[in-house]
Amino acid sequence: MTDEPKSALVLKVQALAAKLPNQLGGQSWAFEPYLVSSNPDAQNLIDLLMDDVCAKWAASFPHRKPSRDTEQKFIDCGSAILANLMRAQCNKWPTTIGMYRSKDALDREKRYRPEYMTADRVRLVQDCLCKHGYVEMVKRGFNLPGHSQTSRFALTEKGEAELQADDWTFADFRVDKGKETIRLKDAKDQLCGYNDTPEVDDMRARLDEINAKLDATDIDTTRTLTIHDRKPEYQGRKVRLHRVFNRGDFDHGGRFYGGWWQNVKSHVRPAITIDGQHTIEADFRGFNPAVLLAEAGQPIPDDPYSPIVGANAPDDLRDHAKATLAALLNSKTGMTEEPRNFDSARWGMTAEDFRAKVLDAFPMVPAMLGTDKGLTLQRLESDLAEAIMLHFVRPGHAILPIHDAFIVQAHLERELVQVMKDTFKARLGQVPPVKVTRSYALR
């Protein structure tokens, strides 16, 4: 299976994009409009700087000055921008903040920002902060067919000095609760608007229940995290979750994101504690192939990837099976370059042969290619996750999701495994395999 031929337009766009400067600026994080500083000293520095910038902006009006309400909205917008840039300084990798400049792009995401943060005001404040030397646009954004990136911003040396940026840590920032927890992305993977429906309102209310419990829970680790423990996406100890749907369709996606435990490396998770107690992690073993087999009325083996690689396969061969099946299910065209870095000499077959082996093991997959089956499986996975979390949250137990895996206090291990199996069976008619990983202290 090879990639489909590329059109002249696609080749031209790729060639043009290749000549563009690197837009990443090291790591880049999306702008979080509800971010605030929880440290009074840090917030005082933001307030002082924004008061100064606002005064200079107001002085530019020769006659009628902006109202105090308008000035406050200007200051609040700038405070959110500066909080994002200050938090980026807490990262050990060079990190910029991606922010839109185009009015169309900003208007498309207005549901996900406070009402005062209008497109015109965001651009105005960006310009003022840059004009007065506190912020710089590191890379200008661009929008080409199939290739687009937001503009990248960072504090200047002057901004770092004024805000004493080196003094703050991730713990000095938090996300306010006003953030939209149900998010929809369009076909270009960009946030877009939608109409509230009773179904969406109910989803949001259920997620509020889960977040209320997480807010009231002490989620920690048995040791201090280091730079080697964190993924680049780690942005501090955030606990509130949100759901992300895809392709402009609430039947696609829906996974839960936002918890800091999702952005640490897997070796860290056994060190997580919940309200001071050691934990266990349970995950559906081979969720996607298990669902495909269950939907086809076929028995689910202990390792749902074994139809491809056999029982007790080496982990790296199983990883190839997992990556290849996932790529096929998520491919828009039915094509994939997986398995990547495939050692044909070691495995006695070519990558092409291995792809054919995947399709032979799951004969239902060819009919699913290019149909977004991977995203509809994510909707099923996330709905099961919601039901499992609510089972524990409503009696007062915290539970931490990592897509198709969950972390709970160790004494809840047996209950979690049973609830996962029961919830899966209620939807798909079969009992799935569940794998448990215990806290380091319990091994």
Side-chain angles (χ1 to χ4, degrees):
M1 187 177 291
T2 57
D3 288 333
E4 62 182 358
K6 293 176 176 149
S7 69
L9 175 60
V10 169
L11 292 172
K12 183 177 180 181
V13 167
Q14 289 181 342
L16 179 59
K19 295 179 181 179
L20 292 168
N22 176 19
Q23 300 287 308
L24 295 179
Q27 295 294 325
S28 185
W29 292 342
F31 174 67
E32 172 48 71
Y34 288 95
L35 188 71
V36 298
S37 174
S38 54
N39 184 307
D41 294 330
Q43 187 59 50
N44 183 57
L45 292 172
I46 292 174
D47 291 342
L48 290 172
L49 191 154
M50 282 310 304
D51 283 345
D52 180 58
V53 173
C54 184
K56 292 175 180 176
W57 168 66
S60 68
F61 290 81
H63 302 298
R64 187 175 180 180
K65 304 296 183 184
S67 69
R68 184 54 197 162
D69 180 64
T70 299
E71 288 184 352
Q72 188 60 53
K73 290 176 180 177
F74 179 99
I75 290 171
D76 290 343
C77 187
S79 294
I81 291 173
L82 292 176
N84 274 264
L85 296 171
M86 288 171 71
R87 186 178 64 170
Q89 291 290 119
C90 299
N91 202 8
K92 298 301 181 184
W93 293 275
T95 304
T96 58
I97 296 297
M99 288 189 280
Y100 284 115
R101 291 282 297 162
S102 123
K103 189 175 188 308
D104 286 346
L106 287 165
D107 282 342
R108 185 182 61 244
E109 294 192 356
K110 64 183 180 180
R111 165 182 279 275
Y112 307 99
R113 300 193 305 271
E115 289 187 7
Y116 67 80
M117 206 175 282
T118 63
D120 289 340
R121 184 167 289 119
V122 169
R123 296 193 299 174
L124 169 65
V125 176
Q126 289 172 346
D127 289 342
C128 288
L129 288 170
C130 290
K131 176 183 177 181
H132 296 296
Y134 298 113
V135 173
E136 63 178 330
M137 185 189 296
V138 178
K139 297 291 181 183
R140 186 174 297 277
F142 62 88
N143 187 12
L144 297 170
H147 296 270
S148 63
Q149 287 181 340
T150 56
S151 297
R152 310 308 201 198
F153 292 83
L155 291 174
T156 61
E157 289 186 6
K158 177 181 177 182
E160 291 177 12
E162 289 286 335
L163 296 170
Q164 300 175 21
D166 291 339
D167 293 348
W168 315 117
T169 69
F170 287 119
D172 294 313
F173 302 92
R174 62 178 172 81
V175 178
D176 264 356
K177 296 181 182 180
K179 186 176 185 177
E180 174 59 78
T181 54
I182 305 298
R183 305 183 187 183
L184 183 65
K185 290 188 174 183
D186 60 21
K188 296 181 179 179
D189 203 35
Q190 297 175 332
L191 289 172
C192 60
Y194 60 85
N195 294 322
D196 286 318
T197 64
E199 179 190 11
V200 172
D201 290 340
D202 288 345
M203 277 195 294
R204 190 181 291 112
R206 292 191 294 270
L207 186 46
D208 286 345
E209 284 187 70
I210 295 167
N211 279 329
K213 181 57 187 174
L214 292 172
D215 284 337
T217 302
D218 177 23
I219 306 166
D220 205 348
T221 51
T222 55
R223 60 175 178 80
T224 302
L225 298 184
T226 71
I227 186 174
H228 305 293
D229 296 324
R230 306 193 309 250
K231 296 178 183 179
E233 299 83 9
Y234 181 88
Q235 299 179 20
R237 295 293 182 97
K238 299 193 297 182
V239 300
R240 293 181 65 79
L241 301 172
H242 57 271
R243 292 185 76 171
V244 178
F245 295 85
N246 305 93
R247 303 278 201 270
D249 187 343
F250 283 103
D251 289 333
H252 291 66
R255 279 182 162 177
F256 294 83
Y257 295 94
W260 66 263
W261 55 89
Q262 298 173 331
N263 293 321
V264 294
K265 296 178 181 178
S266 58
H267 70 263
V268 175
R269 297 204 295 266
I272 290 175
T273 59
I274 295 177
D275 285 334
Q277 295 191 30
H278 296 300
T279 58
I280 63 96
E281 177 180 334
D283 68 276
F284 287 111
R285 195 171 189 211
F287 182 84
N288 282 351
V291 172
L292 295 179
L293 292 169
E295 288 180 338
Q298 299 179 25
I300 304 173
D302 184 57
D303 181 0
Y305 287 105
S306 61
I308 303 172
V309 296
N312 303 313
D315 287 345
D316 42 0
L317 186 61
R318 187 179 185 276
D319 289 343
H320 281 311
K322 182 177 181 179
T324 303
L325 180 59
L328 288 168
L329 293 172
N330 285 294
S331 171
K332 295 179 183 178
T333 63
M335 306 295 178
T336 178
E337 294 181 2
E338 295 290 352
R340 300 173 190 269
N341 303 316
F342 190 80
D343 188 341
S344 297
R346 179 183 178 190
W347 304 120
M349 69 183 94
T350 66
E352 182 77 19
D353 292 335
F354 188 77
R355 282 192 288 267
K357 192 175 178 68
V358 172
L359 295 176
D360 287 343
F362 290 91
M364 70 289 289
V365 168
M368 300 172 179
L369 299 179
T371 66
D372 283 334
K373 178 63 174 179
L375 289 174
T376 58
L377 284 172
Q378 283 188 18
R379 175 64 201 258
L380 171 63
E381 172 202 277
S382 62
D383 284 349
L384 296 182
E386 180 192 66
I388 292 164
M389 287 190 285
L390 288 172
H391 172 92
F392 287 92
V393 165
R394 285 173 173 165
H397 302 298
I399 179 170
L400 316 181
I402 309 110
H403 304 322
D404 61 355
F406 307 89
I407 297 172
V408 296
Q409 292 174 330
H411 69 91
L412 296 169
E413 174 184 336
R414 183 177 299 180
E415 183 178 355
L416 174 59
V417 171
Q418 192 61 52
V419 169
M420 290 172 68
K421 290 181 176 181
D422 290 347
T423 305
F424 187 100
K425 184 179 180 181
R427 289 289 296 269
L428 295 153
Q430 291 199 49
V431 177
V434 173
K435 176 184 175 183
V436 174
T437 303
R438 294 180 177 86
S439 168
Y440 291 125
L442 301 175
R443 296 180 185 179

